[in-house]
Amino acid sequence: MKTNILIVEDEPIIAKDIEACILNLNYYVIGLAHTSETALDILHSRRVDMVMLDIHIGGSRDGIDIAEIINEKYDIPFIFLTSFSDELTLDRAKKTKPYGYIVKPFDETDLKTTLTIALHNYHSTKKEQLFSKEILNKKAKAPLSEKEYKIIVELSRGKNTGGIAETHFISINTVKFHLKNIYQKMNVSSRTELLAKVMS
């Protein structure tokens, strides 16, 4: 499935240039928004995976305001793409924790590199959150021990029983003992069921 990218840029010619670059990189452009109102409407009504945000846009809000709304209501990454790089703008922008900041004029290589790294970092962060002990304990019937939690993390990385035993300097029987307890606590009967539940 292609990544859906929303472009928020108030200059139609620049927006079309950005769109052409993104399409060349094999992403899908879900919409072009020239005002903050249109951007918020698209965010609300379509599946957006990434937002390219100009800071100074038409409408009642600027790009940084949109970024704050994305952080509050939508769990998606965004990149600022702007001609403004003064200290005040940068200070406001970095507080929203963007996944990238491209200063115009830019070239396709800048865009490709920033998009690739931004999407990778976002998905890595999401995976870490999925596997946090706190989240796993909410899915379990009883709290997981630290060792049980670490074994689930190792399983998610594709390690088998022998690999886990070697990494943690414990016997295979000890790993099996922990797995039995994990299955009980997570209310599953196999590794496949466990990982499906963890990823859900």
Side-chain angles (χ1 to χ4, degrees), residues 121-165:
N121 288 344
Y122 171 74
H123 290 302
S124 295
T125 304
K126 292 311 296 172
K127 195 172 179 186
E128 283 169 19
Q129 288 170 355
L130 270 178
F131 285 95
S132 75
K133 193 175 175 186
E134 185 184 356
I135 295 291
L136 292 184
N137 277 334
K138 286 179 182 174
K139 298 177 182 182
K141 292 193 293 183
L144 297 160
S145 70
E146 191 60 32
K147 184 62 79 177
E148 288 164 352
Y149 168 66
K150 284 178 179 173
I151 285 172
I152 292 176
V153 172
E154 298 289 6
L155 287 172
S156 74
R157 292 172 179 162
K159 282 196 179 170
N160 59 20
T161 310
I164 294 169

Short mmCIF file of all heavy atoms in Angstrom, two decimals, residues 121-165:
data_model
loop_
_atom_site.label_atom_id
_atom_site.label_comp_id
_atom_site.label_asym_id
_atom_site.label_seq_id
_atom_site.Cartn_x
_atom_site.Cartn_y
_atom_site.Cartn_z
N ASN A 121 11.71 6.61 11.00
CA ASN A 121 11.72 6.98 12.41
C ASN A 121 10.34 6.88 13.04
O ASN A 121 10.18 6.44 14.17
CB ASN A 121 12.28 8.40 12.60
CG ASN A 121 13.78 8.45 12.36
OD1 ASN A 121 14.45 7.42 12.36
ND2 ASN A 121 14.30 9.64 12.15
N TYR A 122 9.33 7.29 12.27
CA TYR A 122 7.95 7.22 12.78
C TYR A 122 7.56 5.77 13.06
O TYR A 122 7.06 5.44 14.13
CB TYR A 122 6.99 7.85 11.77
CG TYR A 122 5.54 7.63 12.12
CD1 TYR A 122 4.93 8.32 13.16
CD2 TYR A 122 4.76 6.71 11.42
CE1 TYR A 122 3.61 8.12 13.50
CE2 TYR A 122 3.43 6.49 11.74
CZ TYR A 122 2.86 7.19 12.78
OH TYR A 122 1.55 6.97 13.11
N HIS A 123 7.79 4.88 12.08
CA HIS A 123 7.40 3.47 12.25
C HIS A 123 8.22 2.79 13.34
O HIS A 123 7.69 1.94 14.07
CB HIS A 123 7.51 2.72 10.92
CG HIS A 123 6.46 3.16 9.93
ND1 HIS A 123 5.10 3.08 10.20
CD2 HIS A 123 6.56 3.71 8.70
CE1 HIS A 123 4.42 3.55 9.17
NE2 HIS A 123 5.28 3.95 8.25
N SER A 124 9.48 3.17 13.50
CA SER A 124 10.31 2.61 14.57
C SER A 124 9.75 3.03 15.93
O SER A 124 9.67 2.22 16.85
CB SER A 124 11.75 3.10 14.46
OG SER A 124 12.34 2.62 13.28
N THR A 125 9.37 4.29 16.04
CA THR A 125 8.80 4.80 17.29
C THR A 125 7.50 4.09 17.63
O THR A 125 7.25 3.70 18.77
CB THR A 125 8.54 6.33 17.20
OG1 THR A 125 9.76 6.97 16.86
CG2 THR A 125 8.02 6.90 18.50
N LYS A 126 6.65 3.89 16.61
CA LYS A 126 5.37 3.21 16.82
C LYS A 126 5.58 1.78 17.30
O LYS A 126 4.88 1.29 18.18
CB LYS A 126 4.53 3.20 15.54
CG LYS A 126 4.02 4.53 15.10
CD LYS A 126 3.35 5.33 16.19
CE LYS A 126 2.10 4.70 16.73
NZ LYS A 126 1.57 5.39 17.93
N LYS A 127 6.58 1.09 16.71
CA LYS A 127 6.86 -0.29 17.10
C LYS A 127 7.32 -0.34 18.56
O LYS A 127 6.90 -1.20 19.33
CB LYS A 127 7.92 -0.89 16.18
CG LYS A 127 8.00 -2.40 16.29
CD LYS A 127 8.91 -3.00 15.24
CE LYS A 127 8.96 -4.52 15.40
NZ LYS A 127 9.92 -5.15 14.51
N GLU A 128 8.18 0.61 18.93
CA GLU A 128 8.65 0.66 20.32
C GLU A 128 7.48 0.88 21.28
O GLU A 128 7.41 0.27 22.34
CB GLU A 128 9.68 1.79 20.49
CG GLU A 128 11.05 1.44 19.95
CD GLU A 128 11.96 2.65 19.87
OE1 GLU A 128 11.68 3.66 20.56
OE2 GLU A 128 12.95 2.59 19.12
N GLN A 129 6.55 1.75 20.90
CA GLN A 129 5.39 2.01 21.74
C GLN A 129 4.51 0.77 21.88
O GLN A 129 3.98 0.48 22.95
CB GLN A 129 4.58 3.18 21.18
CG GLN A 129 5.26 4.52 21.35
CD GLN A 129 4.57 5.63 20.59
OE1 GLN A 129 3.63 5.42 19.85
NE2 GLN A 129 5.06 6.85 20.78
N LEU A 130 4.34 0.04 20.77
CA LEU A 130 3.54 -1.19 20.80
C LEU A 130 4.11 -2.19 21.78
O LEU A 130 3.39 -2.93 22.43
CB LEU A 130 3.54 -1.85 19.40
CG LEU A 130 2.45 -1.47 18.41
CD1 LEU A 130 2.69 -2.20 17.11
CD2 LEU A 130 1.07 -1.79 18.93
N PHE A 131 5.46 -2.22 21.86
CA PHE A 131 6.12 -3.21 22.70
C PHE A 131 6.51 -2.67 24.07
O PHE A 131 7.31 -3.30 24.76
CB PHE A 131 7.36 -3.75 21.97
CG PHE A 131 7.02 -4.72 20.88
CD1 PHE A 131 6.90 -4.29 19.57
CD2 PHE A 131 6.77 -6.05 21.16
CE1 PHE A 131 6.57 -5.17 18.56
CE2 PHE A 131 6.44 -6.93 20.15
CZ PHE A 131 6.34 -6.50 18.85
N SER A 132 5.97 -1.53 24.46
CA SER A 132 6.29 -1.04 25.80
C SER A 132 5.64 -1.97 26.83
O SER A 132 4.58 -2.54 26.60
CB SER A 132 5.79 0.39 26.00
OG SER A 132 4.40 0.41 26.18
N LYS A 133 6.32 -2.14 27.95
CA LYS A 133 5.82 -3.04 29.00
C LYS A 133 4.44 -2.61 29.50
O LYS A 133 3.56 -3.43 29.76
CB LYS A 133 6.82 -3.09 30.16
CG LYS A 133 6.56 -4.22 31.15
CD LYS A 133 7.65 -4.28 32.19
CE LYS A 133 7.31 -5.30 33.24
NZ LYS A 133 8.28 -5.28 34.34
N GLU A 134 4.27 -1.29 29.58
CA GLU A 134 2.98 -0.75 30.06
C GLU A 134 1.83 -1.17 29.13
O GLU A 134 0.77 -1.60 29.60
CB GLU A 134 3.08 0.78 30.12
CG GLU A 134 1.86 1.45 30.71
CD GLU A 134 1.95 2.97 30.65
OE1 GLU A 134 2.99 3.50 30.22
OE2 GLU A 134 0.96 3.60 31.02
N ILE A 135 2.04 -1.07 27.81
CA ILE A 135 1.01 -1.45 26.84
C ILE A 135 0.75 -2.95 26.90
O ILE A 135 -0.40 -3.40 26.89
CB ILE A 135 1.44 -1.04 25.40
CG1 ILE A 135 1.54 0.48 25.27
CG2 ILE A 135 0.48 -1.61 24.36
CD1 ILE A 135 0.24 1.24 25.33
N LEU A 136 1.82 -3.75 26.97
CA LEU A 136 1.65 -5.21 27.02
C LEU A 136 0.90 -5.64 28.29
O LEU A 136 0.08 -6.54 28.24
CB LEU A 136 3.01 -5.91 26.95
CG LEU A 136 3.76 -5.81 25.62
CD1 LEU A 136 5.03 -6.62 25.66
CD2 LEU A 136 2.90 -6.27 24.45
N ASN A 137 1.18 -4.97 29.39
CA ASN A 137 0.49 -5.32 30.64
C ASN A 137 -1.00 -5.04 30.58
O ASN A 137 -1.80 -5.71 31.24
CB ASN A 137 1.13 -4.59 31.84
CG ASN A 137 2.35 -5.32 32.36
OD1 ASN A 137 2.47 -6.54 32.21
ND2 ASN A 137 3.26 -4.59 32.98
N LYS A 138 -1.39 -4.06 29.75
CA LYS A 138 -2.83 -3.77 29.58
C LYS A 138 -3.52 -4.90 28.83
O LYS A 138 -4.73 -5.09 28.96
CB LYS A 138 -3.02 -2.45 28.83
CG LYS A 138 -2.72 -1.22 29.70
CD LYS A 138 -2.89 0.06 28.91
CE LYS A 138 -2.53 1.26 29.77
NZ LYS A 138 -2.54 2.51 29.01
N LYS A 139 -2.75 -5.65 28.01
CA LYS A 139 -3.31 -6.75 27.24
C LYS A 139 -3.24 -8.08 28.00
O LYS A 139 -3.80 -9.08 27.56
CB LYS A 139 -2.57 -6.88 25.91
CG LYS A 139 -2.69 -5.65 25.01
CD LYS A 139 -1.87 -5.81 23.75
CE LYS A 139 -1.96 -4.55 22.89
NZ LYS A 139 -1.23 -4.69 21.63
N ALA A 140 -2.50 -8.10 29.12
CA ALA A 140 -2.28 -9.33 29.87
C ALA A 140 -3.28 -9.48 31.02
O ALA A 140 -3.83 -8.49 31.52
CB ALA A 140 -0.86 -9.34 30.42
N LYS A 141 -3.50 -10.74 31.42
CA LYS A 141 -4.39 -11.02 32.56
C LYS A 141 -3.68 -10.72 33.88
O LYS A 141 -4.33 -10.42 34.88
CB LYS A 141 -4.82 -12.49 32.55
CG LYS A 141 -5.74 -12.87 31.40
CD LYS A 141 -6.38 -14.24 31.62
CE LYS A 141 -5.35 -15.35 31.57
NZ LYS A 141 -5.95 -16.68 31.72
N ALA A 142 -2.36 -10.83 33.86
CA ALA A 142 -1.54 -10.53 35.05
C ALA A 142 -0.27 -9.83 34.58
O ALA A 142 0.17 -10.06 33.45
CB ALA A 142 -1.19 -11.82 35.78
N PRO A 143 0.31 -8.96 35.40
CA PRO A 143 1.50 -8.22 34.99
C PRO A 143 2.67 -9.13 34.60
O PRO A 143 2.91 -10.16 35.23
CB PRO A 143 1.86 -7.38 36.22
CG PRO A 143 0.60 -7.31 37.01
CD PRO A 143 -0.12 -8.60 36.76
N LEU A 144 3.37 -8.75 33.56
CA LEU A 144 4.54 -9.49 33.09
C LEU A 144 5.76 -9.13 33.94
O LEU A 144 5.93 -7.97 34.33
CB LEU A 144 4.85 -9.14 31.63
CG LEU A 144 3.79 -9.50 30.59
CD1 LEU A 144 3.99 -8.68 29.32
CD2 LEU A 144 3.83 -10.99 30.28
N SER A 145 6.61 -10.13 34.19
CA SER A 145 7.88 -9.83 34.87
C SER A 145 8.81 -9.19 33.85
O SER A 145 8.56 -9.24 32.63
CB SER A 145 8.51 -11.12 35.41
OG SER A 145 8.97 -11.92 34.32
N GLU A 146 9.90 -8.60 34.33
CA GLU A 146 10.87 -7.95 33.44
C GLU A 146 11.44 -8.97 32.45
O GLU A 146 11.61 -8.69 31.27
CB GLU A 146 11.99 -7.31 34.26
CG GLU A 146 12.91 -6.39 33.47
CD GLU A 146 12.18 -5.20 32.82
OE1 GLU A 146 11.19 -4.70 33.38
OE2 GLU A 146 12.61 -4.80 31.72
N LYS A 147 11.73 -10.17 32.93
CA LYS A 147 12.30 -11.22 32.07
C LYS A 147 11.28 -11.66 31.01
O LYS A 147 11.62 -11.84 29.84
CB LYS A 147 12.74 -12.43 32.92
CG LYS A 147 13.41 -13.53 32.13
CD LYS A 147 14.71 -13.08 31.45
CE LYS A 147 15.87 -13.02 32.43
NZ LYS A 147 17.14 -12.65 31.75
N GLU A 148 10.02 -11.80 31.41
CA GLU A 148 8.96 -12.19 30.46
C GLU A 148 8.81 -11.12 29.37
O GLU A 148 8.67 -11.44 28.19
CB GLU A 148 7.63 -12.40 31.19
CG GLU A 148 7.61 -13.67 32.04
CD GLU A 148 6.48 -13.69 33.06
OE1 GLU A 148 5.78 -12.67 33.22
OE2 GLU A 148 6.31 -14.74 33.70
N TYR A 149 8.85 -9.87 29.79
CA TYR A 149 8.75 -8.76 28.84
C TYR A 149 9.90 -8.81 27.83
O TYR A 149 9.71 -8.69 26.62
CB TYR A 149 8.75 -7.42 29.58
CG TYR A 149 8.94 -6.22 28.67
CD1 TYR A 149 7.99 -5.88 27.72
CD2 TYR A 149 10.11 -5.46 28.74
CE1 TYR A 149 8.17 -4.80 26.86
CE2 TYR A 149 10.30 -4.38 27.90
CZ TYR A 149 9.33 -4.06 26.96
OH TYR A 149 9.52 -2.99 26.12
N LYS A 150 11.13 -9.04 28.32
CA LYS A 150 12.30 -9.08 27.44
C LYS A 150 12.21 -10.25 26.45
O LYS A 150 12.64 -10.13 25.30
CB LYS A 150 13.58 -9.17 28.27
CG LYS A 150 13.95 -7.82 28.91
CD LYS A 150 15.18 -7.92 29.76
CE LYS A 150 15.52 -6.55 30.36
NZ LYS A 150 16.63 -6.62 31.33
N ILE A 151 11.63 -11.35 26.90
CA ILE A 151 11.48 -12.52 26.01
C ILE A 151 10.49 -12.20 24.89
O ILE A 151 10.71 -12.56 23.73
CB ILE A 151 11.07 -13.77 26.81
CG1 ILE A 151 12.29 -14.29 27.60
CG2 ILE A 151 10.52 -14.87 25.89
CD1 ILE A 151 12.00 -15.40 28.58
N ILE A 152 9.41 -11.49 25.20
CA ILE A 152 8.44 -11.09 24.16
C ILE A 152 9.12 -10.18 23.14
O ILE A 152 8.92 -10.33 21.93
CB ILE A 152 7.21 -10.39 24.78
CG1 ILE A 152 6.39 -11.38 25.61
CG2 ILE A 152 6.32 -9.77 23.69
CD1 ILE A 152 5.21 -10.78 26.36
N VAL A 153 9.94 -9.25 23.60
CA VAL A 153 10.67 -8.35 22.69
C VAL A 153 11.58 -9.17 21.77
O VAL A 153 11.63 -8.93 20.55
CB VAL A 153 11.49 -7.29 23.48
CG1 VAL A 153 12.39 -6.50 22.54
CG2 VAL A 153 10.54 -6.35 24.22
N GLU A 154 12.28 -10.15 22.34
CA GLU A 154 13.16 -11.01 21.52
C GLU A 154 12.36 -11.80 20.49
O GLU A 154 12.78 -11.94 19.33
CB GLU A 154 13.95 -11.99 22.42
CG GLU A 154 14.88 -11.33 23.42
CD GLU A 154 16.11 -10.69 22.80
OE1 GLU A 154 16.21 -10.63 21.56
OE2 GLU A 154 16.96 -10.22 23.56
N LEU A 155 11.20 -12.32 20.89
CA LEU A 155 10.33 -13.05 19.95
C LEU A 155 9.92 -12.15 18.79
O LEU A 155 9.86 -12.57 17.64
CB LEU A 155 9.09 -13.59 20.67
CG LEU A 155 9.28 -14.77 21.61
CD1 LEU A 155 7.98 -15.03 22.37
CD2 LEU A 155 9.71 -16.03 20.87
N SER A 156 9.61 -10.90 19.11
CA SER A 156 9.17 -9.95 18.08
C SER A 156 10.29 -9.66 17.09
O SER A 156 10.04 -9.24 15.96
CB SER A 156 8.69 -8.65 18.71
OG SER A 156 9.78 -7.88 19.17
N ARG A 157 11.53 -9.87 17.51
CA ARG A 157 12.69 -9.66 16.62
C ARG A 157 13.01 -10.91 15.82
O ARG A 157 14.01 -10.96 15.11
CB ARG A 157 13.91 -9.24 17.45
CG ARG A 157 13.77 -7.84 18.08
CD ARG A 157 14.90 -7.56 19.04
NE ARG A 157 14.77 -6.22 19.60
CZ ARG A 157 15.38 -5.81 20.71
NH1 ARG A 157 16.16 -6.65 21.38
NH2 ARG A 157 15.22 -4.58 21.15
N GLY A 158 12.20 -11.95 16.00
CA GLY A 158 12.37 -13.17 15.22
C GLY A 158 13.28 -14.22 15.83
O GLY A 158 13.61 -15.22 15.19
N LYS A 159 13.67 -14.03 17.10
CA LYS A 159 14.56 -15.01 17.72
C LYS A 159 13.78 -16.26 18.15
O LYS A 159 12.63 -16.15 18.59
CB LYS A 159 15.26 -14.39 18.94
CG LYS A 159 16.41 -13.49 18.56
CD LYS A 159 17.31 -13.21 19.74
CE LYS A 159 18.47 -12.32 19.29
NZ LYS A 159 19.23 -11.82 20.41
N ASN A 160 14.45 -17.42 18.04
CA ASN A 160 13.83 -18.66 18.50
C ASN A 160 14.25 -18.93 19.95
O ASN A 160 15.01 -18.15 20.55
CB ASN A 160 14.19 -19.84 17.59
CG ASN A 160 15.70 -20.07 17.52
OD1 ASN A 160 16.46 -19.64 18.39
ND2 ASN A 160 16.14 -20.75 16.47
N THR A 161 13.78 -20.05 20.50
CA THR A 161 14.05 -20.38 21.90
C THR A 161 15.55 -20.44 22.19
O THR A 161 16.03 -19.89 23.18
CB THR A 161 13.39 -21.73 22.26
OG1 THR A 161 12.03 -21.69 21.84
CG2 THR A 161 13.42 -21.99 23.75
N GLY A 162 16.30 -21.10 21.29
CA GLY A 162 17.74 -21.22 21.47
C GLY A 162 18.44 -19.87 21.44
O GLY A 162 19.34 -19.61 22.25
N GLY A 163 18.01 -19.01 20.52
CA GLY A 163 18.60 -17.67 20.41
C GLY A 163 18.35 -16.83 21.64
O GLY A 163 19.23 -16.09 22.10
N ILE A 164 17.14 -16.95 22.20
CA ILE A 164 16.79 -16.20 23.42
C ILE A 164 17.63 -16.70 24.58
O ILE A 164 18.17 -15.91 25.37
CB ILE A 164 15.29 -16.32 23.73
CG1 ILE A 164 14.46 -15.64 22.63
CG2 ILE A 164 14.95 -15.71 25.09
CD1 ILE A 164 12.97 -15.91 22.69
N ALA A 165 17.77 -18.02 24.70
CA ALA A 165 18.57 -18.62 25.78
C ALA A 165 20.01 -18.11 25.72
O ALA A 165 20.59 -17.73 26.75
CB ALA A 165 18.54 -20.15 25.67
#
